[in-house]
Amino acid sequence: MNPVDRAQRAVTPGKTPRTVRAVRADEWGRAKRLRLEALRDPAAPVAYLDTYENAVGRPDSFWRERAEQSARGTSARHFVAETADGVWVGAVVVLVEPKGSAGVLGVPGECDQAHLVGVYVRPDHRGTGLLKELFDAATGWAWSLEEPRVERVRLHVDERNGRARAAYAKLGFEPTGVTVPVESDPSARELELTVTRPGDSPRDRA
């Protein structure tokens, strides 16, 4: 087992202890339910490319395959945050994008990189540091890969999603200047934000 796949426990003062861990293949049903919950969040239209209507109609085989690929391969990993009583309260998916591959939004990468998608934190756990816990697990797994050696982690955020933009900036994600049209509204843009591999940025070498 990759060391980063082991459960990471974080305790926030005044909050229930949470464990951030990788989703197992047999947990596809729980992963499906949390994803559908995320797609019904009021912020979903500017947070996700997918819609609840599309997702709820997919067969169980889709969710099974997705969970199996995440649990057993090295091209993706799905992390969830779980409370001590077993409730899932957040999630993030890491997709590995080798150099030159188009990626989720069709923007080719200039290096081996990882892409964070499907970010979700339940409303009652927002502002508690849970997003950082999820991102620490996700980026830690990406940096731990030997092949490909991930040089940066990126994500895309709708320019209209000010809350998410501020949260990602707080975690060190910076805009690259690359933007793509939002599929459902070409007048809006998805902004690419990245963090570089620890020790590779000029700030880390200073």
Side-chain angles (χ1 to χ4, degrees):
M1 176 185 291
N2 187 304
V4 185
D5 283 342
R6 298 195 184 102
Q8 302 180 11
R9 182 168 296 279
V11 179
T12 303
K15 295 293 181 180
T16 303
R18 299 179 295 232
T19 298
V20 176
R21 62 173 179 82
V23 173
R24 299 186 297 269
D26 63 354
E27 295 177 312
W28 63 269
R30 298 187 71 186
K32 173 184 176 180
R33 289 191 293 274
L34 189 64
R35 176 62 172 174
L36 294 179
E37 176 185 318
L39 292 173
R40 298 186 74 174
D41 187 275
V46 294
Y48 306 112
L49 299 178
D50 202 1
T51 66
Y52 176 84
E53 290 73 21
N54 286 338
V56 75
R58 296 187 180 112
D60 287 348
S61 59
F62 169 87
W63 302 98
R64 285 195 189 95
E65 182 178 352
R66 181 168 166 165
E68 288 174 359
Q69 289 178 345
S70 170
R72 297 170 182 166
T74 58
S75 61
R77 189 66 91 241
H78 187 177
F79 289 94
V80 292
E82 185 175 47
T83 64
D85 53 358
V87 178
W88 287 9
V89 295
V92 63
V93 177
V94 195
L95 304 177
V96 178
E97 298 175 338
K99 181 179 179 179
S101 62
V104 177
L105 298 181
V107 181
E110 298 180 355
C111 62
D112 293 326
Q113 62 188 5
H115 196 153
L116 303 186
V117 299
V119 180
Y120 179 61
V121 173
R122 278 188 164 177
D124 56 337
H125 284 261
R126 292 172 189 169
T128 67
L130 180 54
L131 183 65
K132 182 180 186 303
E133 295 164 25
L134 287 164
F135 275 34
D136 283 350
T139 56
W141 178 79
W143 305 139
S144 75
L145 295 174
E146 296 182 0
E147 183 61 36
R149 184 178 186 273
V150 171
E151 296 181 29
R152 70 174 191 170
V153 174
R154 70 172 174 172
L155 55 79
H156 287 85
V157 61
D158 191 305
E159 63 183 356
R160 299 165 295 181
N161 194 346
R163 181 187 179 98
R165 291 173 63 181
Y168 299 150
K170 187 176 180 180
L171 295 180
F173 282 79
E174 300 178 344
T176 64
V178 174
T179 69
V180 294
V182 175
E183 184 176 348
S184 61
D185 182 3
S187 67
R189 309 293 294 184
E190 292 272 357
L191 313 179
E192 182 185 67
L193 310 179
T194 66
V195 291
T196 57
R197 187 181 186 90
D200 284 359
S201 70
R203 187 185 310 166
D204 291 333
R205 295 194 293 269

